[in-house]
């Protein structure tokens, strides 16, 4: 079996014969040493030689190449060795290796393999596990290709700022989330420091005008953004931003960008780029996961002779072996938050006892945005309590991030978590892909995630760059069918150590027991959350749980129990008959039927409880739940595949039919100009609905 493989597809694209060759392709012919590791398929025997952070050591690579194809020179594996090859600008190399800059030495496997391939100018699909340095793998050759382009004014390289017209954009990176786009930009600026190359971002939720002005004043060689905003500015002639000379397009988290939710926007962006028969374009796709369903889209998007660089062996699991993954069956939905607190306390107790453990820094993932909020609010209340403030956990930061927060708050949360030594980030899937928060020790997923890829990417927020980490999944036994379907082949082991996961919280527990103490902390924390948030959380979870549980009735019973016993609410939220019909529920499922008057009175919804209003006022994450619940045909009946496609169809279909789409897209542009930024449809849909 292969450690890293480079597969070539098809024959050369007819266009390539006529199209001008990319700079990198031309370069490649002058570069005898940086050979394609076409023998890389023979690397399997050396796997044990590698550290947990997969790298090809120079000696190993040399030995392999010699063993298999003695005539071929070594693969470059040290960043510093790039200098002798005249391949990569000295400033870029310095930026990467200098201790006071990025301080990196040896390439990771995906970097080594793809740098080599990208520089030759071919289209690439690159697959490597989470946290293995894919960002640098596409940034370095991309920035170098721009520098190599004779039509880019290289005479200014080295100056602080090389002013360019907006149309000088040579490379475009599309990212599914704003935070990831910004993170890539930070990395790109580090790599490009001192070269004169200008990196700009175009992401939703920020002032479009200000972003455009920046591009116009400073110029832009590399533009990084989210699909909606990129489409917006490239399609609008008034922005003055176009990319007639663009020759590199990168799709980070490619499988997400090619799924049915994003694909139309990505296609539209491509149609706004120069005709590839006139301006040769190299397209690069990177992700840790490439499900079979999207391979077809990959083939349609890349040139027929694209290369598939895959560092995940066919017989290997897509998660890091070094990461223990544990599944905890919770007695009820209400047991998850106490179990999370217990996990943190246990870790801290071990540290207090002198074990050499890193500070507890966890991301807790929830399937609905409102649940994220209620949980963050409850833990913040716990953290304010005198008991907590007197404990050794007192420095733990409790932070929240989800798509319902303003972009400014989202950015602040992400920055604070990045800086935090210890803490918990209560997150929806906005941070599930690509985000590189340092030193995350635990990823805790609450509820079975919507698909296998989501599980893998969330888990990938820990154990990055060769570090250690743990993955935990807290799930209700009622989710066992979808658990088996979605995550069945992943190496999760049942863990029963967390006592509060199994405590009966419908009965009062003595405060004298450790579990009783934990439960009372959470109960007091939840008591400080407002009722409206709790109602929204119930509604959000209704959507996700009815899609996840073996039966809707069981889901609703579990939810009702949590609402009454743990949220300490007296009466269940009312669901309108219309909503019930949309969700495929009936009275005997145990829901409270009404017109929403009660929750309006109690502050649950400001503008009503039916679906159409709820979709404006309620939690956007919840809408995902509703659609899934509503579009039962796709979600509950489908298998793994059916769920994926049903899910996407359900979301889009639900939206278009509901008419929200038009409203959102119209509102998006105007919103960017108004003082209170409004969200374009894409921003709301792509970021909020599905993350
Ligand atoms: N050659 C290297 N040596 C050591 N650390 C590296 C190297 N390259 C990148 N890193 C670090 O590894 C971490 C993960 O990198 P990156 O975010 O690019 O991973 P990724 O493969 O894109 O992950 P994901 O699949 O989650 O998007 C970053 O902190 C980065 O600085």
């Amino acid at each position: 079996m292969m450690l890293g493989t480079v597969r070539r597809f098809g024959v050369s694209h007819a266009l390539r014969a006529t199209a001008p060759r990319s700079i990198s392709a031309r370069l490649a012919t002058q570069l005898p040493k940086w050979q394609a590791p076409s023998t890389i398929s023979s690397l399997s025997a050396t796997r044990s030689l590698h550290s947990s952070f997969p790298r090809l050591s120079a000696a190993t690579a040399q030995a392999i190449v010699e063993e298999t194809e003695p005539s071929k020179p070594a693969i470059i594996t040290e960043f510093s060795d790039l200098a002798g090859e005249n391949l990569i600008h000295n400033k870029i190399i310095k930026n990467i290796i200098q201790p006071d800059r990025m301080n990196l030495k040896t390439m990771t496997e995906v970097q080594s393999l793809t740098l080599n391939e990208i520089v030759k100018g071919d289209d690439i699909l690159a697959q490597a596990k989470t946290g293995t340095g894919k960002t640098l793998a596409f940034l370095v050759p991309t920035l170098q290709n721009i520098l190599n382009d004779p039509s880019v004014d290289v005479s200014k390289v080295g100056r602080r700022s090389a002013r360019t017209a907006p149309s000088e954009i040579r490379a475009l990176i599309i990212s599914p989330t704003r935070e990831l786009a910004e993170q890539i930009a930070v990395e790109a600026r580090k790599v490009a420091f001192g070269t004169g190359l200008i990196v700009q971002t175009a992401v939703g939720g920020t002032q479009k005008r200000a972003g455009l002005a920046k591009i116009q004043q400073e110029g832009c060689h590399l533009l990084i953004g989210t699909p909606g905003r990129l489409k917006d500015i490239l399609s609008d002639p008034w922005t003055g931003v176009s990319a007639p000379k663009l020759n590199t397009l990168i799709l980070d988290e490619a499988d997400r960008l090619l799924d049915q939710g994003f694909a139309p926007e990505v296609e539209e962006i491509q149609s706004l780029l120069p005709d590839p028969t006139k301006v040769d374009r190299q397209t690069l796709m990177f992700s840790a996961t490439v499900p079979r369903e999207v391979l077809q889209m990959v083939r349609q998007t890349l040139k027929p002779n694209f290369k598939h660089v895959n560092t995940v062996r066919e017989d290997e699991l897509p998660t890091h072996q070094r990461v223990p993954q544990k599944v905890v069956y919770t007695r009820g939905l209400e047991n998850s938050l106490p179990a999370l607190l217990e996990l943190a306390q246990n870790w801290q107790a071990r540290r207090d006892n002198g074990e050499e453990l890193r500070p507890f820094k966890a991301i807790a993932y929830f399937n609905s945005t409102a649940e994220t909020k209620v949980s963050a609010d409850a833990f913040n209340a716990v953290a304010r309590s005198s008991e907590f403030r007197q404990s050794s956990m007192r420095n733990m930061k409790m932070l929240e991030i989800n798509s319902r927060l303003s972009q400014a708050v989202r950015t602040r949360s992400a920055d604070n978590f990045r800086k935090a030594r210890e803490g918990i980030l209560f997150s929806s899937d906005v941070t599930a892909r690509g985000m590189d928060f340092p030193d995350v020790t635990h990823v805790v997923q609450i509820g079975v995630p919507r698909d296998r890829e989501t599980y893998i990417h969330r888990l990938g927020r820990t154990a990055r760059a060769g570090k250690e980490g743990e993955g935990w999944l807290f799930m209700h036994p009622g989710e066992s069918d979808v658990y088996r379907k979605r995550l069945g082949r992943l190496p999760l082991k049942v863990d029963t150590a967390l006592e509060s996961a199994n405590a009966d919280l419908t009965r009062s527990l003595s405060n004298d027991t450790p579990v009783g103490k934990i439960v009372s902390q959470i109960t007091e924390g939840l008591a400080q959350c407002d009722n409206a948030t709790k109602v929204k959380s119930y509604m959000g979870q209704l959507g996700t749980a009815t899609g996840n549980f073996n039966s809707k009735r069981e889901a609703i019973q579990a939810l009702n129990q949590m609402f009454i016993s743990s949220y300490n609410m007296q009466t269940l939220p009312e669901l309108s008959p219309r909503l019930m019909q949309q969700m495929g529920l009936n009275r005997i499922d145990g829901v409270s039927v009404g017109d929403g008057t009660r929750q309006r009175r109690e502050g649950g919804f400001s503008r009503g409880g039916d679906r159409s209003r709820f979709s404006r006022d309620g939690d956007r994450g919840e809408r995902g739940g509703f659609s899934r619940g509503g579009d039962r045909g796709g979600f509950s009946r489908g298998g793994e595949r059916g769920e994926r496609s049903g899910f996407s169809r359900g979301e889009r279909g639900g939206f278009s039919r509901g008419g929200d789409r038009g409203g959102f897209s119209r509102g998006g542009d105007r919103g960017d100009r108004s003082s209170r930024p409004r969200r374009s449809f894409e921003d709301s849909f792509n970021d909020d609905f599905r993350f």
Side-chain angles (χ1 to χ4, degrees), residues 53 55 77 79 96 102-108 110-111 128-138 180 183 187 190 252-253 286-289 432-436 438 457 460-461 464-466:
F53 191 16
R55 291 183 173 116
T77 59
F79 285 112
I96 296 172
M102 297 172 83
N103 196 20
L104 303 175
K105 210 167 160 281
T106 307
M107 292 178 198
T108 64
V110 67
Q111 288 165 355
K129 288 184 187 178
T130 52
T132 55
K134 293 188 284 298
T135 314
L136 215 54
F138 59 72
L180 183 54
Q183 182 182 286
E187 188 101 335
K190 283 187 201 161
D252 193 19
E253 307 299 341
F286 279 73
S287 185
T289 51
R433 281 178 177 253
M435 293 305 291
D436 189 47
H457 287 275
R461 297 318 98 208
R464 299 175 70 72

Side-chain angles (χ1 to χ4, degrees), residues 477-504:
E479 296 175 280
S480 56
D481 284 355
V482 293
Y483 168 72
R484 266 194 302 277
K485 253 188 249 164
R486 294 175 199 167
L487 311 180
R489 289 187 305 146
L490 291 166
L492 285 127
K493 299 230 158 57
V494 176
D495 190 287
T496 53
L498 296 173
E499 285 180 50
S500 51
N502 203 29
D504 182 355

Side-chain angles (χ1 to χ4, degrees), residues 321-338:
Q321 275 170 1
R322 66 178 181 279
V323 184
Q325 295 167 55
K326 302 172 190 186
V327 56
V328 176
Y329 290 96
T330 58
R331 186 183 186 108
L333 291 172
E334 63 278 10
N335 293 70
S336 291
L337 294 187

